[in-house]
Structure formats: structure tokens, C-alpha cells
Amino acid sequence: MSDELIQSIQKSLKEIPDPETGRGLSKQIKSVEVQDHTIKADVGITSFALPIKAYFQQQVIDHLTTAFPDKRILVEISDYHRAAMPLGQVGLKAKAVIAVAAGKGGVGKSTAAVSLALGLKKAGCSVGLLDADVYGPSLPHLTGTRGQVTKVDNKIVPLQSAGIPIMSIGFMVPPGEAVIWRGPMLHSAVTTFVRDTDWGALDYLIIDMPPGTGDIALSLSQLLPLTGAVIVCTPQEVALIDAIKAVGMFRKVKIPVLGLIENMSSFICPDNGKSYDIFGKGGAKEYAAQDKIPFLGEIPINIQLRKRGDAGKMAENFDDAEVAPHLEKIAFELTKCLAEKVAKEPTQTQLPVL
Ligand code: ADP
């Protein structure tokens, strides 16, 4: 009887998609026990899915509760390792490559890209940050990373900030030097960033894209499969028009738009605690709902956030009770969206590299 029950619990668990691959859980089911009226299950997830660990745990509990309503359900989520496989021709090892883009400059795209990378890293994922904004590289400034990259065994060694490898054109040309980029040069710079850089094995590579233009997006998508783009915008109507253009541009080059982030959403006055919607409110969320684009969250206007950006200490935002929940939510929502996407279209079983 108990054996039968255990088998049917395992069968039920196998119906749950793994948040990284979308395939039913199998080897990740580490143990199933039944004691009197209690079912205890231990399920492993990869570091890729750690931002949604608690959410996934609840999903497993709900699934087992529906299947075994007369039992008490205890679920533990533990670590499971699955190696990242080389992507495309360039061989970059990353499980997801996310382009963070905006219709125009100054909306906080780089701030959002760094925050997303830090949020994922804080949850336990392995993350890389690539500054593809060759016209105005701001990642060296925002992450407080200075210096020139070096080469080891013919591969560029990225600089590091808060445990995140970072690569930027700012580490390759002297600061303040103007570079005029033409098409082929852009392509070769992007190739250097992804092919010739030693990123290690990543769960997420977050790419800070240049505003507006589609050139880099095209170059990147020729080199490796981009998982998708996240569009950053501010609440004003004019900013939304640019964001809609950016969405159109990505769709045109067949890069999925994964979600929208609204930056500078509201301002909580430190003097009186009142919230002011300086640039308006709700437009981006409404547009996202209309166009069926997931809304990943909003970042308020915050003086400390700007100061920490200027000081290259953005990791400190995660210790700030006013800002941290907004940034953590964005990492959570992105991973949740990706998990929902693969649940609909599971990735192929990875073949062993010979
Ligand atoms: P973009 O990449 O779109 O050009 P940045 O991320 O470089 O924009 O941000 C531009 C400036 O605005 C930076 O000084 C940054 O610190 C500041 N900033 C961005 N978002 C916020 C915010 N939510 N609150 C306060 N300052 C912000």
C-alpha cells in the first residue's frame, strides 16, 4: 500500500515542470516519504530558478495537496546541479541571455540592468553583466569597476563587481575617448564581448543594450540565441511611445519581448513620506497589459538609488528597505516569466558534450 502511494506521489511530482527546462521533474525528485498522514518530499532546483524558490515550493505543495487532499504536505526545496551548455556558434555557456533595452537614453536602462543582475545574483544565480552600450558605456561607473581587461590563454578576463563578471567597452578604450563605431566594428566588438571573453558558466547573462538602434541586437542574435529582451521605460507618454518602438524593433528581429520595467514610477518625499507621481502613473502597466507583455515591476525615483549609482555601490540598494523589495521583485518576475515560458515549450534534453 505504502509503496503504491509513494509511486503515485512520484508520478504526481513528475507532472510539475522544472522551472529551468519546463520538463517534468524526474531526477530532481530526491526523496519521498510517507509517515502516517504526512507526505514529505525533497525536490531539487538549479541555481537558475533560485529567485522563485519559495514560489516554486508553494506550487509543489499546492500540486500535492490537490492530488492528496487528506494528507499533510511538507516540501523541501534543495539544490540540484545542471551544467550550462554552450550556446550557438560562439560557445558561451549561459542558460539565459537577456537584453535590457530602452527606446531612448536616460530612462534608467543601465540602472535596471545592473539591478536585475544584482537581484539574480543575490538570489543565488550565477550572473554575468555585459555592457553593449558602446556609445555610452555606463556600467564601469554604476558598478564602480575601473581598469583595463587582461587576456589569459587568448581569452579576455572580465572585471568583477559584487561577484559578477563584467565586460564593457569602457575597459578596453581609455575613459573619455570618443570612438566612432561603424557597422563592422560594432559587430566585431560584440563578437569579442561574447566569444572571446571568459565568462565561465552562467545562469544569466544580462546585456545592457544601447538605446534605440537595432544594430547590436541584430549582431547579437546572429551570434547566439537571445532568450529575450526586457524593455525599460519611464511613465511619461512620450517615453512610452519610445518603449513601444523598442518593442516593435525586437519583434521585427524575432527576439521575444519578455517584459516591461517602469522606472522612476513615483517619488516618496523623504520630508513628509507622501508619494508624488512626477512623471504620471500607470501608463506602462496598462500598455503591457494591452500588448500582453508581462509587467516585471516598477522602480521608484529615489535619491539614494541615484547616489549609490554615482558612487558605484548599487549592491547597497539591496540593504535599503525602501528600494530592495522593488528590485527583488523584478528578478523574481523575470525568472517566473521564463519558467512559465519553458513550461509551455520545454527545452530539449541536453545532449552530453563529447
Ligand atoms: P540610461 O541607461 O537609460 O541612460 P541610467 O541607468 O544611466 O540611464 O540612469 C541615468 C541617471 O538616472 C543615473 O544617474 C541614475 O543613477 C539615475 N536614475 C536611474 N533610475 C533612477 C531612479 N529610479 N531613481 C533615481 N535616480 C535614478
Side-chain angles (χ1 to χ4, degrees):
M1 164 65 195
S2 177
D3 269 3
E4 253 172 54
L5 179 58
I6 289 207
Q7 273 174 21
S8 78
I9 297 166
Q10 278 174 333
K11 191 164 167 257
S12 176
L13 284 170
K14 284 179 186 171
E15 293 161 3
I16 301 172
D18 167 47
E20 180 195 321
T21 63
R23 302 192 294 266
L25 300 172
S26 60
K27 274 189 273 173
Q28 285 160 262
I29 305 166
K30 293 192 177 171
S31 69
V32 174
E33 283 171 40
V34 180
Q35 278 169 6
D36 304 325
H37 281 289
T38 303
I39 294 175
K40 272 195 201 168
D42 180 344
V43 174
I45 55 168
T46 56
S47 55
F48 179 90
L50 286 177
I52 56 166
K53 182 176 175 175
Y55 173 80
F56 179 72
Q57 181 183 35
Q58 193 57 50
Q59 277 187 322
V60 179
I61 293 171
D62 292 348
H63 189 87
L64 290 180
T65 306
T66 308
F68 306 95
D70 55 341
K71 298 276 188 241
R72 190 163 81 103
I73 311 289
L74 294 178
V75 173
E76 193 169 318
I77 305 293
S78 54
D79 294 336
Y80 179 81
H81 180 70
R82 185 185 294 114
M85 292 290 152
L87 281 179
Q89 297 281 312
V90 290
L92 169 85
K93 284 189 195 139
K95 292 180 176 176
V97 182
I98 312 289
V100 178
K104 63 171 181 180
V107 299
K109 168 184 58 64
S110 304
T111 302
V114 174
S115 302
L116 181 57
L118 286 166
L120 294 166
K121 178 76 195 173
K122 190 165 175 273
C125 311
S126 94
V127 186
L129 195 47
L130 194 170
D131 189 354
D133 191 347
V134 289
Y135 304 108
S138 35
L139 292 201
H141 183 73
L142 288 175
T143 58
T145 343
R146 298 280 187 280
Q148 301 281 299
V149 287
T150 49
K151 263 193 172 182
V152 172
D153 293 336
N154 236 8
K155 282 259 183 188
I156 296 172
V157 183
L159 298 184
Q160 295 261 342
S161 173
I164 297 177
I166 303 173
M167 184 63 185
S168 169
I169 199 72
F171 305 146
M172 300 171 92
V173 293
E177 187 168 300
V179 184
I180 298 164
W181 294 97
R182 298 185 198 284
M185 276 168 75
L186 268 183
H187 190 75
S188 78
V190 170
T191 309
T192 302
F193 288 155
V194 294
R195 190 193 58 197
D196 305 335
T197 302
D198 184 5
W199 288 104
L202 300 176
D203 288 319
Y204 296 85
L205 179 65
I206 305 297
I207 307 182
D208 185 13
M209 300 291 283
T213 163
D215 294 358
I216 301 247
L218 263 180
S219 282
L220 275 167
S221 58
Q222 282 161 13
L223 288 168
L224 80 180
L226 281 179
T227 311
V230 168
I231 312 291
V232 183
C233 72
T234 50
Q236 309 94 310
E237 245 170 65
V238 278
L240 198 54
I241 294 168
D242 287 312
I244 295 169
K245 270 193 216 152
V247 169
M249 190 273 290
F250 279 103
R251 286 187 174 152
K252 216 174 203 168
V253 296
K254 306 253 178 323
I255 297 170
V257 174
L258 299 171
L260 206 68
I261 297 173
E262 187 180 88
N263 188 26
M264 310 196 194
S265 291
S266 55
F267 172 70
I268 298 171
C269 178
D271 297 342
N272 60 14
K274 277 193 194 166
S275 176
Y276 296 94
D277 299 320
I278 294 176
F279 295 133
K281 196 181 165 66
K285 207 174 196 172
E286 246 170 58
Y287 159 65
Q290 269 169 23
D291 211 351
K292 298 198 169 47
I293 301 172
F295 187 71
L296 303 181
E298 33 192 47
I299 308 175
I301 300 174
N302 183 287
I303 299 170
Q304 294 309 324
L305 192 146
R306 202 270 306 148
K307 284 188 180 164
R308 291 182 195 119
D310 275 345
K313 292 183 175 162
M314 289 194 51
E316 288 178 9
N317 287 327
F318 288 84
D319 303 323
D320 179 334
E322 239 177 63
V323 182
H326 295 277
L327 306 185
E328 282 161 5
K329 180 175 172 358
I330 291 170
F332 167 84
E333 291 291 340
L334 177 77
T335 307
K336 183 166 158 262
C337 280
L338 293 176
E340 284 167 0
K341 202 162 169 266
V342 288
K344 284 186 205 137
E345 267 176 69
T347 57
Q348 300 296 308
T349 309
Q350 289 171 334
L351 297 170
V353 181
L354 298 173

